[in-house]
């Protein structure tokens, strides 16, 4: 499907899928172990080498390409892989943090607001006083008496 070199960062490692190099391979470098490194393309006779240059100036070949254009494309892929990884990770973390913050605010506003308004103590709901019937215990009422409207409330 893809027949070109691709680089990406996963789990703290730069991974290269070097499909269009002279010797196709998967290459991996732990980024936590590398303090200073540069990547460059260097010609070696009829081939173009993609490699790393360390702090001491030593060049280590990663892989070789038949043309300079293919080697330069792979070099650009390293830059894109390193650049997009950091951006993508920060973007996903930012979106997750925003979602958690909004969910917390929603819960606070809709569920926890009454808790904070009452100072954390539950309060009883006050109902208006209902009229009390003065019916002696044990006496029967007729249907007319039971269905009669209660007397108006006095205020």
């Amino acid at each position: 499907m893809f027949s070109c070199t691709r680089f990406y960062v996963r789990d703290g490692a730069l991974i290269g899928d070097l499909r269009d190099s002279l010797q196709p391979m998967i290459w991996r470098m732990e980024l936590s172990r590398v303090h200073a490194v540069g990547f460059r393309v260097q010609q070696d006779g009829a081939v173009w080498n993609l490699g790393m240059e360390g702090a001491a100036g030593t060049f280590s070949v990663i892989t070789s390409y038949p043309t300079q254009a293919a080697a330069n494309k792979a070099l650009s892929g390293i830059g894109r892989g390193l650049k997009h990884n950091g951006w993508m990770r920060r973007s996903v973390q930012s979106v997750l943090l925003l979602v958690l913050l909004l969910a917390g605010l929603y819960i606070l506003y809709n569920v926890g607001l009454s808790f904070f308004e009452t100072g954390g103590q539950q309060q009883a709901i006050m109902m208006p006083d209902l009229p009390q019937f003065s019916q002696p215990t044990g006496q029967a009422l007729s249907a007319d008496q039971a269905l009669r409207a209660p007397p108006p409330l006095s205020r």
Side-chain angles (χ1 to χ4, degrees):
M1 180 184 216
F2 294 104
S3 62
C4 63
T5 296
R6 297 168 52 114
F7 286 91
Y8 54 94
V9 176
R10 179 154 306 137
D11 298 329
L14 177 63
I15 300 170
D17 184 354
L18 310 169
R19 293 179 188 220
D20 62 344
S21 69
L22 291 176
Q23 295 179 354
M25 69 174 100
I26 303 294
W27 176 82
R28 178 182 170 98
M29 179 178 76
E30 293 291 328
L31 295 174
S32 62
R33 295 183 182 186
V34 178
H35 300 288
V37 68
F39 296 96
R40 67 181 173 104
V41 172
Q42 179 177 314
Q43 185 176 13
D44 184 18
V47 297
W48 294 85
N49 295 325
L50 172 65
M52 300 183 301
E53 188 170 325
T58 58
F59 184 75
S60 301
V61 175
I62 297 171
T63 192
S64 300
Y65 290 90
T67 65
Q68 183 179 11
N72 285 336
K73 187 176 177 182
L75 181 64
S76 296
I78 291 174
R80 279 192 306 275
L82 290 170
K83 177 181 166 186
H84 289 300
N85 172 67
W87 175 81
M88 184 65 90
R89 180 181 299 149
R90 284 189 302 272
S91 296
V92 169
Q93 289 173 345
S94 297
V95 168
L96 288 175
L97 182 61
L98 181 63
V99 167
L100 289 173
L101 179 65
L102 290 175
L105 289 174
Y106 176 81
I107 291 169
L108 179 66
Y109 183 75
N110 289 319
V111 177
L113 191 58
S114 62
F115 177 79
F116 288 106
E117 286 177 349
T118 61
Q121 298 175 359
Q122 293 186 2
Q123 292 180 344
I125 297 173
M126 301 302 289
M127 298 291 290
D129 289 334
L130 297 176
Q132 299 294 320
F133 295 104
S134 58
Q135 174 66 28
T137 307
Q139 291 186 357
L141 288 177
S142 69
D144 288 335
Q145 289 174 332
L147 296 175
R148 189 176 312 140
L153 296 176
S154 59
R155 291 193 185 218

